[in-house]
Amino acid sequence: TVDGYRSTGGIRGAVARSADLLYDGLTAEQRDTLRSILLRLITPSIEGDPVRTRVPSRSLLGSPGRERVVAMLIRARLVTAHDESFELSHEALARAWPRLQGWLDDDVNGQRVFRHLVMAADGWDSFGRADGELYRGARLESALEWRATTSAELSDVEVAFLDASGELDVSQRRALAERADRETR
């Protein structure tokens, strides 16, 4: 009945309960994977509110463990699979599940760095991994610092992107130092 629906908290309550049931049945490693997956599926709006976002499959999958957790999310009807992408089934999950809200609140700046990294790495990969697409300077330092202090699971492409950016940075610094030495001599 409508009264029963309201007493259970409506869609928000149902979604939060489904998420809690799934989370409670996971191992510690799967919980970390779940956190990583869900944080990829949410983008802050201009106002800062969490909004679901569609993520390409290649950014979300990649290991059997990640694929298992995504399958569990789909079975729990928390995530919807499309042709080559995934998204949260209910935007209410981002607002109604206290655990997810806590994850989002834990590291607002880190989420910005992460979100930009995901897009930059995907672009780099899509453009044939051109050096011109790699991070440099302050953005690279910020991303490397974030990676060193977080437990976020990065995809193979994101790891390769950061590694290639770091290698290019070292190579460019070395070339500058050699040039300065030559000019000094």
Side-chain angles (χ1 to χ4, degrees):
T1 66
V2 172
D3 288 337
Y5 173 75
R6 287 185 182 136
S7 71
T8 61
I11 188 72
R12 295 171 71 99
V15 168
R17 268 192 307 287
S18 293
D20 277 331
L21 283 171
L22 175 64
Y23 185 83
D24 291 342
L26 298 176
T27 65
E29 183 179 335
Q30 289 173 323
R31 288 176 178 181
D32 290 341
T33 300
L34 175 81
R35 180 182 191 274
S36 175
I37 290 168
L38 291 178
L39 290 176
R40 287 176 182 275
L41 295 170
I42 297 170
T43 303
S45 69
I46 293 171
E47 297 82 27
D49 296 325
V51 177
R52 69 182 175 172
T53 188
R54 197 173 277 203
V55 175
S57 302
R58 67 182 177 275
S59 297
L60 206 58
L61 303 175
S63 72
R66 289 177 75 79
E67 290 173 12
R68 270 193 298 280
V69 173
V70 168
M72 289 179 204
L73 285 162
I74 292 169
R75 275 195 307 276
R77 295 191 173 118
L78 297 171
V79 169
T80 303
H82 300 283
D83 291 333
E84 293 293 321
S85 63
F86 297 96
E87 73 178 333
L88 291 180
S89 299
H90 309 280
E91 195 146 323
L93 179 62
R95 295 188 175 102
W97 193 28
R99 186 179 314 276
L100 179 54
Q101 194 62 53
W103 292 337
L104 291 167
D105 292 342
D106 281 348
D107 186 17
V108 174
N109 189 45
Q111 284 302 307
R112 285 189 197 109
V113 171
F114 178 61
R115 180 68 41 215
H116 193 277
L117 171 63
V118 168
M119 292 186 302
D122 188 48
W124 172 70
D125 193 47
S126 297
F127 288 119
R129 299 189 172 202
D131 284 351
E133 298 294 320
L134 293 172
Y135 275 170
R136 291 176 174 75
R139 189 167 304 273
L140 174 60
E141 289 177 29
S142 176
L144 292 175
E145 180 181 319
W146 171 80
R147 179 171 71 170
T149 61
T150 188
S151 61
E153 289 184 27
L154 299 178
S155 70
D156 292 341
V157 170
E158 293 154 1
V159 170
F161 173 80
L162 283 177
D163 290 347
S165 295
E167 290 167 10
L168 180 64
D169 183 61
V170 167
S171 151
Q172 288 177 336
R173 287 176 191 248
R174 189 176 306 123
L176 280 172
E178 290 170 1
R179 181 178 169 196
D181 284 348
R182 278 193 311 270
E183 289 177 4
T184 301
R185 279 183 288 205

